[in-house]
Amino acid sequence: MSLHLTDITLTYPDGDSRLTALDSVDLHVDKGAMTAVVGPSGSGKSSLLAVAATLITPDRGHIVIDGTNTAGMTRRELTTLRRNKIGMIFQQPNLLPSLTAVEQLQVTAHLAGQPIRNAEKRALTLLDGVGLRGKAHSRPHQLSGGQRQRVNIARALMSNPAVLLVDEPTSALDHERGAVILDLITALTRRNGTATVVVTHDRAHLSGMDDIVEMVDGRLRVGASSE
Ligand SMILES: Nc1ncnc2c1ncn2[C@@H]1O[C@H](COP(=O)(O)OP(=O)(O)O)[C@@H](O)[C@H]1O
Ligand SMILES: [Mg+2]
């Protein structure tokens, strides 16, 4: 369980030319380790996660997820890889309004081709693990913002991913709730042995990280200070 991005360059079309969103970026995250990515808005943080998630193919460089090089894989193979190996947590939970917490997780298992019945037990265990015992049958409108983000986290772990990619998970929460959510992600990273990358703009959340890297104009600076 590890994530290796090597020499990643990504450009987007920009009028008559191209905008370089990622410039020769290297990022390596080991099993059970947590790397924080900080940096100003527009510096390429979300693009980096999208490349790591195999949602965008870079112009150059390669991505190795849990020992598998994604170069040359078909769309279908990438979809399978994503469902089995990658958990994603974005800023907004994007829960389905009509489903209960446990059903949100079961749907994910169903999409990954796992039988829905077996999934229920795992879903309940995961919800318990994020502190939502007793909320398993609540729908999103019956949950607080922090609780919805916990459902989102539990859902991302449903496939027992090797790699966990997290984009500004606390931006919709106040400082204290944000700190609790990051502590939870750290604990789950250690417990499940995922290689975790967290984009965050809140520097107060960086104390538990194994590594902190800073993006500036698409380039990565390693060993950024947590001050
Ligand atoms: N789909 C896209 N098409 C064109 N330009 C994009 C696209 N997504 C992001 N960008 C540009 O790439 C740069 C990096 O964006 P992004 O990765 O979202 O940065 P961050 O997450 O650090 O705010 C920005 O200049 C942004 O405007
Ligand atoms: Mg972003």
Side-chain angles (χ1 to χ4, degrees), residues 9-33:
T9 293
L10 172 72
T11 64
Y12 293 114
D14 184 38
D16 289 338
S17 64
R18 318 259 323 163
L19 180 151
T20 302
L22 298 172
D23 189 356
S24 311
V25 169
D26 290 307
L27 184 71
H28 302 283
V29 187
D30 288 327
K31 176 181 169 65

mmCIF file of all heavy atoms in Angstrom, residues 9-33:
data_model
loop_
_atom_site.group_PDB
_atom_site.id
_atom_site.type_symbol
_atom_site.label_atom_id
_atom_site.label_comp_id
_atom_site.label_asym_id
_atom_site.label_seq_id
_atom_site.Cartn_x
_atom_site.Cartn_y
_atom_site.Cartn_z
ATOM 1 N N THR A 9 4.078 16.138 -14.863
ATOM 2 C CA THR A 9 3.798 17.450 -15.442
ATOM 3 C C THR A 9 2.403 17.402 -16.061
ATOM 4 O O THR A 9 2.063 16.459 -16.766
ATOM 5 C CB THR A 9 4.859 17.826 -16.498
ATOM 6 O OG1 THR A 9 6.103 18.024 -15.829
ATOM 7 C CG2 THR A 9 4.488 19.117 -17.221
ATOM 8 N N LEU A 10 1.602 18.407 -15.708
ATOM 9 C CA LEU A 10 0.229 18.481 -16.218
ATOM 10 C C LEU A 10 -0.030 19.884 -16.743
ATOM 11 O O LEU A 10 0.228 20.867 -16.043
ATOM 12 C CB LEU A 10 -0.764 18.169 -15.093
ATOM 13 C CG LEU A 10 -2.249 18.393 -15.421
ATOM 14 C CD1 LEU A 10 -2.762 17.326 -16.393
ATOM 15 C CD2 LEU A 10 -3.101 18.387 -14.159
ATOM 16 N N THR A 11 -0.544 19.994 -17.961
ATOM 17 C CA THR A 11 -0.936 21.304 -18.489
ATOM 18 C C THR A 11 -2.410 21.271 -18.863
ATOM 19 O O THR A 11 -2.960 20.215 -19.169
ATOM 20 C CB THR A 11 -0.108 21.703 -19.730
ATOM 21 O OG1 THR A 11 -0.389 20.776 -20.794
ATOM 22 C CG2 THR A 11 1.385 21.701 -19.445
ATOM 23 N N TYR A 12 -3.034 22.425 -18.794
ATOM 24 C CA TYR A 12 -4.422 22.591 -19.239
ATOM 25 C C TYR A 12 -4.414 23.554 -20.430
ATOM 26 O O TYR A 12 -3.573 24.464 -20.471
ATOM 27 C CB TYR A 12 -5.276 23.227 -18.149
ATOM 28 C CG TYR A 12 -5.503 22.406 -16.905
ATOM 29 C CD1 TYR A 12 -4.983 22.824 -15.673
ATOM 30 C CD2 TYR A 12 -6.279 21.253 -16.922
ATOM 31 C CE1 TYR A 12 -5.214 22.102 -14.502
ATOM 32 C CE2 TYR A 12 -6.520 20.525 -15.761
ATOM 33 C CZ TYR A 12 -5.983 20.952 -14.559
ATOM 34 O OH TYR A 12 -6.221 20.235 -13.401
ATOM 35 N N PRO A 13 -5.364 23.412 -21.351
ATOM 36 C CA PRO A 13 -5.468 24.405 -22.418
ATOM 37 C C PRO A 13 -5.800 25.765 -21.811
ATOM 38 O O PRO A 13 -6.577 25.842 -20.853
ATOM 39 C CB PRO A 13 -6.622 23.898 -23.292
ATOM 40 C CG PRO A 13 -7.195 22.709 -22.625
ATOM 41 C CD PRO A 13 -6.372 22.365 -21.427
ATOM 42 N N ASP A 14 -5.165 26.823 -22.328
ATOM 43 C CA ASP A 14 -5.361 28.170 -21.793
ATOM 44 C C ASP A 14 -5.295 29.144 -22.967
ATOM 45 O O ASP A 14 -4.227 29.627 -23.316
ATOM 46 C CB ASP A 14 -4.262 28.456 -20.754
ATOM 47 C CG ASP A 14 -4.451 29.807 -20.079
ATOM 48 O OD1 ASP A 14 -5.599 30.178 -19.803
ATOM 49 O OD2 ASP A 14 -3.433 30.489 -19.837
ATOM 50 N N GLY A 15 -6.439 29.391 -23.594
ATOM 51 C CA GLY A 15 -6.452 30.226 -24.799
ATOM 52 C C GLY A 15 -5.639 29.557 -25.888
ATOM 53 O O GLY A 15 -5.845 28.376 -26.178
ATOM 54 N N ASP A 16 -4.685 30.290 -26.432
ATOM 55 C CA ASP A 16 -3.850 29.756 -27.512
ATOM 56 C C ASP A 16 -2.672 28.942 -26.978
ATOM 57 O O ASP A 16 -1.973 28.294 -27.741
ATOM 58 C CB ASP A 16 -3.285 30.906 -28.372
ATOM 59 C CG ASP A 16 -4.385 31.549 -29.198
ATOM 60 O OD1 ASP A 16 -5.414 30.865 -29.416
ATOM 61 O OD2 ASP A 16 -4.225 32.721 -29.582
ATOM 62 N N SER A 17 -2.441 29.010 -25.647
ATOM 63 C CA SER A 17 -1.284 28.286 -25.114
ATOM 64 C C SER A 17 -1.740 27.262 -24.075
ATOM 65 O O SER A 17 -2.895 26.849 -24.076
ATOM 66 C CB SER A 17 -0.279 29.278 -24.535
ATOM 67 O OG SER A 17 -0.861 29.953 -23.448
ATOM 68 N N ARG A 18 -0.848 26.857 -23.197
ATOM 69 C CA ARG A 18 -1.178 25.893 -22.143
ATOM 70 C C ARG A 18 -0.721 26.451 -20.799
ATOM 71 O O ARG A 18 0.295 27.130 -20.712
ATOM 72 C CB ARG A 18 -0.471 24.540 -22.362
ATOM 73 C CG ARG A 18 -0.433 24.021 -23.762
ATOM 74 C CD ARG A 18 -1.430 22.957 -24.120
ATOM 75 N NE ARG A 18 -1.775 21.942 -23.151
ATOM 76 C CZ ARG A 18 -2.890 21.186 -23.301
ATOM 77 N NH1 ARG A 18 -3.711 21.378 -24.328
ATOM 78 N NH2 ARG A 18 -3.176 20.265 -22.425
ATOM 79 N N LEU A 19 -1.509 26.150 -19.790
ATOM 80 C CA LEU A 19 -1.153 26.560 -18.432
ATOM 81 C C LEU A 19 -0.545 25.349 -17.719
ATOM 82 O O LEU A 19 -1.132 24.268 -17.743
ATOM 83 C CB LEU A 19 -2.432 27.012 -17.734
ATOM 84 C CG LEU A 19 -2.381 27.509 -16.294
ATOM 85 C CD1 LEU A 19 -3.502 28.524 -16.089
ATOM 86 C CD2 LEU A 19 -2.524 26.369 -15.290
ATOM 87 N N THR A 20 0.618 25.530 -17.138
ATOM 88 C CA THR A 20 1.273 24.416 -16.443
ATOM 89 C C THR A 20 0.762 24.360 -15.007
ATOM 90 O O THR A 20 1.103 25.205 -14.181
ATOM 91 C CB THR A 20 2.805 24.581 -16.464
ATOM 92 O OG1 THR A 20 3.221 24.657 -17.839
ATOM 93 C CG2 THR A 20 3.494 23.410 -15.801
ATOM 94 N N ALA A 21 -0.075 23.356 -14.715
ATOM 95 C CA ALA A 21 -0.652 23.233 -13.371
ATOM 96 C C ALA A 21 0.265 22.431 -12.460
ATOM 97 O O ALA A 21 0.305 22.678 -11.252
ATOM 98 C CB ALA A 21 -2.024 22.573 -13.453
ATOM 99 N N LEU A 22 1.000 21.458 -13.014
ATOM 100 C CA LEU A 22 1.959 20.667 -12.238
ATOM 101 C C LEU A 22 3.253 20.592 -13.028
ATOM 102 O O LEU A 22 3.234 20.284 -14.230
ATOM 103 C CB LEU A 22 1.420 19.245 -11.985
ATOM 104 C CG LEU A 22 0.139 19.153 -11.164
ATOM 105 C CD1 LEU A 22 -0.383 17.713 -11.152
ATOM 106 C CD2 LEU A 22 0.352 19.649 -9.736
ATOM 107 N N ASP A 23 4.367 20.891 -12.362
ATOM 108 C CA ASP A 23 5.644 21.026 -13.047
ATOM 109 C C ASP A 23 6.665 20.062 -12.426
ATOM 110 O O ASP A 23 7.200 20.328 -11.355
ATOM 111 C CB ASP A 23 6.100 22.489 -12.905
ATOM 112 C CG ASP A 23 7.295 22.809 -13.763
ATOM 113 O OD1 ASP A 23 7.836 21.891 -14.412
ATOM 114 O OD2 ASP A 23 7.698 23.992 -13.755
ATOM 115 N N SER A 24 6.859 18.919 -13.052
ATOM 116 C CA SER A 24 7.867 17.924 -12.608
ATOM 117 C C SER A 24 7.732 17.581 -11.124
ATOM 118 O O SER A 24 8.693 17.680 -10.363
ATOM 119 C CB SER A 24 9.291 18.439 -12.855
ATOM 120 O OG SER A 24 9.413 18.924 -14.165
ATOM 121 N N VAL A 25 6.542 17.161 -10.742
ATOM 122 C CA VAL A 25 6.271 16.897 -9.321
ATOM 123 C C VAL A 25 6.562 15.438 -8.966
ATOM 124 O O VAL A 25 6.163 14.519 -9.682
ATOM 125 C CB VAL A 25 4.787 17.221 -9.015
ATOM 126 C CG1 VAL A 25 4.405 16.715 -7.632
ATOM 127 C CG2 VAL A 25 4.546 18.718 -9.130
ATOM 128 N N ASP A 26 7.295 15.250 -7.858
ATOM 129 C CA ASP A 26 7.507 13.917 -7.290
ATOM 130 C C ASP A 26 6.834 13.860 -5.925
ATOM 131 O O ASP A 26 7.007 14.777 -5.120
ATOM 132 C CB ASP A 26 9.006 13.655 -7.054
ATOM 133 C CG ASP A 26 9.756 13.499 -8.357
ATOM 134 O OD1 ASP A 26 9.333 12.677 -9.181
ATOM 135 O OD2 ASP A 26 10.763 14.211 -8.537
ATOM 136 N N LEU A 27 6.107 12.789 -5.683
ATOM 137 C CA LEU A 27 5.474 12.619 -4.365
ATOM 138 C C LEU A 27 5.422 11.130 -4.044
ATOM 139 O O LEU A 27 4.937 10.336 -4.852
ATOM 140 C CB LEU A 27 4.052 13.199 -4.396
ATOM 141 C CG LEU A 27 3.303 13.169 -3.066
ATOM 142 C CD1 LEU A 27 3.886 14.167 -2.081
ATOM 143 C CD2 LEU A 27 1.819 13.484 -3.281
ATOM 144 N N HIS A 28 5.963 10.780 -2.875
ATOM 145 C CA HIS A 28 5.955 9.373 -2.473
ATOM 146 C C HIS A 28 5.364 9.268 -1.076
ATOM 147 O O HIS A 28 5.821 9.960 -0.162
ATOM 148 C CB HIS A 28 7.377 8.806 -2.477
ATOM 149 C CG HIS A 28 8.031 8.933 -3.820
ATOM 150 N ND1 HIS A 28 7.725 8.092 -4.863
ATOM 151 C CD2 HIS A 28 8.918 9.831 -4.293
ATOM 152 C CE1 HIS A 28 8.423 8.460 -5.924
ATOM 153 N NE2 HIS A 28 9.149 9.520 -5.608
ATOM 154 N N VAL A 29 4.362 8.430 -0.945
ATOM 155 C CA VAL A 29 3.725 8.250 0.364
ATOM 156 C C VAL A 29 3.676 6.756 0.660
ATOM 157 O O VAL A 29 3.184 5.970 -0.147
ATOM 158 C CB VAL A 29 2.300 8.841 0.390
ATOM 159 C CG1 VAL A 29 1.736 8.787 1.805
ATOM 160 C CG2 VAL A 29 2.288 10.267 -0.125
ATOM 161 N N ASP A 30 4.198 6.393 1.834
ATOM 162 C CA ASP A 30 4.250 4.986 2.208
ATOM 163 C C ASP A 30 2.992 4.551 2.941
ATOM 164 O O ASP A 30 2.201 5.379 3.389
ATOM 165 C CB ASP A 30 5.477 4.728 3.093
ATOM 166 C CG ASP A 30 6.759 4.795 2.288
ATOM 167 O OD1 ASP A 30 6.729 4.423 1.095
ATOM 168 O OD2 ASP A 30 7.783 5.233 2.856
ATOM 169 N N LYS A 31 2.892 3.258 3.105
ATOM 170 C CA LYS A 31 1.807 2.627 3.851
ATOM 171 C C LYS A 31 1.700 3.220 5.260
ATOM 172 O O LYS A 31 2.706 3.337 5.958
ATOM 173 C CB LYS A 31 2.139 1.145 3.932
ATOM 174 C CG LYS A 31 1.206 0.281 4.731
ATOM 175 C CD LYS A 31 1.749 -1.147 4.706
ATOM 176 C CE LYS A 31 1.023 -2.044 5.703
ATOM 177 N NZ LYS A 31 -0.378 -2.234 5.385
ATOM 178 N N GLY A 32 0.498 3.607 5.631
ATOM 179 C CA GLY A 32 0.263 4.113 6.985
ATOM 180 C C GLY A 32 0.799 5.509 7.240
ATOM 181 O O GLY A 32 0.797 5.973 8.378
ATOM 182 N N ALA A 33 1.262 6.183 6.172
ATOM 183 C CA ALA A 33 1.836 7.530 6.334
ATOM 184 C C ALA A 33 0.892 8.587 5.783
ATOM 185 O O ALA A 33 0.055 8.322 4.921
ATOM 186 C CB ALA A 33 3.184 7.616 5.627
#
